[in-house]
Amino acid sequence: MFKKISALTAALVLSITVLGGCSNSDSSSSSSDTSTESSSDSSASSTSDTTDTDSSVPDASLVIDGEEMDTDGLIVCTIDGHDVDFDTFRYYYYYTINQYTENYGATLDTIAETDGGFDTLLENTITMIKQEFVTYRLCEENGIELTDEEIEANEETYNSGLESAGSEEEFEAILHDSYMTPDLYKTMLELATLYTKCEDELFTNEGVYATSKDEFREIVQDTDEYACVRSILIPYFCKVDLTDSDDIEGYDSYSLSEKYTAKESAYSELEDDEQEEAKEKAKALADEVYEKAKSGDDFEELIEEYNWDSGMESYPDGYYLTPDSDFIEEYLDTAFSLEVGEISDIIESDTYGYFIVMRYEVDMDYVEENIDDMIQDYDLPARQELYMDIMEDMDVTYSDFYDQLTVDSIT
């Protein structure tokens, strides 16, 4: 709940399952989760007689200055020495549009109507491809290649999808609806496998970019480097009355995150003065809980009774934070200002409400059980910086027609 929302630079690989694609839902978001964590296709060869006539995805085409171009093998740009053909560019182009739609409700039409919107779309498409191609750079620099067994496994995956589709025509139709071609799908399988190898060989298991386990065991016990905390969230809206009949009827059976959403929705419908009144009631409750905590009541029992942060259910052993953790500033500053065993004053967040934090001693048994995941979290800022450095170092050259692209050029 208290974690800042940010883009994860490390999210390199798109969903490339045969039965799903950016035409449906390449990206999901657990926006209803109230933990303190934030909350990372083309078919030029397809024709109308090999695709579902009910498909909302048009056949691939490229029109420049009113003239339809032959896209077979056409190179749109070259990024870091890797040619990006039309099919590949089109896939990421529509994937980027899909992200606009999912995250902001924007469509290609609204992008076109926005001053500079189309240019920004193209820039973001190039950025998306560069993110993907970080994998190629890392593999080249570290001698990572696919083995014969891995190549064979990818071929089996491809053939399995083909067999499941029932025919080559149906298979191409499925890929068409994901803005993909068979060749592009094979390329994406290869890229995903290379990405996994990078993960395994470079960023985990004592990899060249990973903090060693021995080093991490020392880091995690440094109170300036790590803070283990548990907390109680009292949101502004926790005392409001529900108005939605479905929420009223089902509330007792809701999960904590569902209750959070229901109360938040009711709060959003209140007038300003009513919201202020709700805040006062929440503050009174926070004061009550704070006094109980300071008087020696068991903090775990107070969490169980009063807390609205579902992250405490997901992380019953507490949050393990570093100064670089992607949490909101109020929470992070509070966590590192406390001594082990100390309870904070009531901290107010304009976004979430009131919270009370207690710092705990780092549990090395927990660390050993979760050390691989914890190292990945700890290494994430350095990894993000590495990715950004690689992306900034990538040379991009464009085709002669690139500057002539318009919002109507690519279908």
Side-chain angles (χ1 to χ4, degrees), residues 320-362:
Y320 280 77
L321 308 176
T322 73
D324 292 324
S325 291
D326 202 12
F327 279 52
I328 63 169
E329 186 177 358
E330 302 98 319
Y331 195 92
L332 201 59
D333 289 348
T334 298
F336 279 94
S337 70
L338 299 173
E339 300 291 336
V340 172
E342 185 179 2
I343 296 172
S344 74
D345 293 333
I346 296 173
I347 307 299
E348 182 175 5
S349 163
D350 291 339
T351 304
Y352 303 110
Y354 307 100
F355 55 87
I356 303 164
V357 180
M358 181 173 180
R359 186 168 186 173
Y360 286 72
E361 186 173 356
V362 168

Side-chain angles (χ1 to χ4, degrees), residues 146-181:
L146 297 187
T147 64
D148 291 341
E149 291 78 8
E150 289 163 339
I151 294 172
E152 183 178 347
N154 284 343
E155 291 175 351
E156 290 176 358
T157 299
Y158 179 91
N159 291 332
S160 177
L162 176 59
E163 182 178 352
S164 297
S167 69
E168 186 171 341
E169 290 76 14
E170 288 297 323
F171 186 56
E172 289 190 7
I174 292 171
L175 292 176
H176 171 275
D177 288 350
S178 296
Y179 296 89
M180 300 185 80
T181 66

Side-chain angles (χ1 to χ4, degrees), residues 148-328:
D148 291 341
E149 291 78 8
E150 289 163 339
I151 294 172
E152 183 178 347
N154 284 343
E155 291 175 351
E156 290 176 358
T157 299
Y158 179 91
N159 291 332
S160 177
L162 176 59
E163 182 178 352
S164 297
S167 69
E168 186 171 341
E169 290 76 14
E170 288 297 323
F171 186 56
E172 289 190 7
I174 292 171
L175 292 176
H176 171 275
D177 288 350
S178 296
Y179 296 89
M180 300 185 80
T181 66
D183 285 343
L184 179 56
Y185 179 59
K186 291 177 181 178
T187 298
M188 298 299 277
L189 284 174
E190 176 188 83
L191 181 60
T193 307
L194 286 170
Y195 172 77
T196 300
K197 293 196 74 169
C198 280
E199 288 286 291
D200 292 342
E201 297 184 22
L202 303 180
F203 297 102
T204 59
N205 303 318
E206 309 283 341
V208 63
Y209 296 114
T211 300
S212 71
K213 292 182 179 180
D214 286 342
E215 183 180 1
F216 184 74
R217 291 183 183 103
E218 295 182 6
I219 292 171
V220 78
Q221 296 180 76
D222 184 337
T223 55
D224 291 330
E225 292 288 336
Y226 262 92
C228 174
V229 297
R230 293 179 176 88
S231 56
I232 301 168
L233 168 64
I234 309 292
Y236 290 141
F237 48 75
C238 65
K239 304 297 284 186
V240 302
D241 294 326
L242 297 174
T243 55
D244 183 271
S245 59
D246 290 337
D247 286 336
I248 294 172
E249 181 178 353
Y251 188 78
D252 289 341
S253 63
Y254 281 0
S255 66
L256 182 57
S257 62
E258 290 171 333
K259 290 179 178 179
Y260 185 102
T261 300
K263 289 277 191 174
E264 184 179 35
S265 178
Y267 177 81
S268 68
E269 297 175 356
L270 298 177
E271 300 294 335
D272 290 347
D273 60 334
E274 293 174 315
Q275 289 189 354
E276 287 303 316
E277 183 179 349
K279 288 182 180 181
E280 291 175 4
K281 291 180 179 179
K283 180 57 165 61
L285 178 59
D287 288 337
E288 177 186 339
V289 175
Y290 173 75
E291 289 301 324
K292 289 184 177 183
K294 283 294 189 179
S295 297
D297 285 20
D298 187 272
F299 201 75
E300 304 301 314
E301 293 180 2
L302 293 176
I303 291 175
E304 181 69 24
E305 183 174 357
Y306 296 104
N307 172 59
W308 282 78
D309 176 15
S310 63
M312 286 292 94
E313 295 179 334
S314 303
Y315 297 92
D317 294 288
Y319 298 123
Y320 280 77
L321 308 176
T322 73
D324 292 324
S325 291
D326 202 12
F327 279 52
I328 63 169

Side-chain angles (χ1 to χ4, degrees), residues 8-22:
L8 181 62
T9 309
L12 299 177
V13 173
L14 308 178
S15 173
I16 57 172
T17 54
V18 174
L19 298 179
C22 72

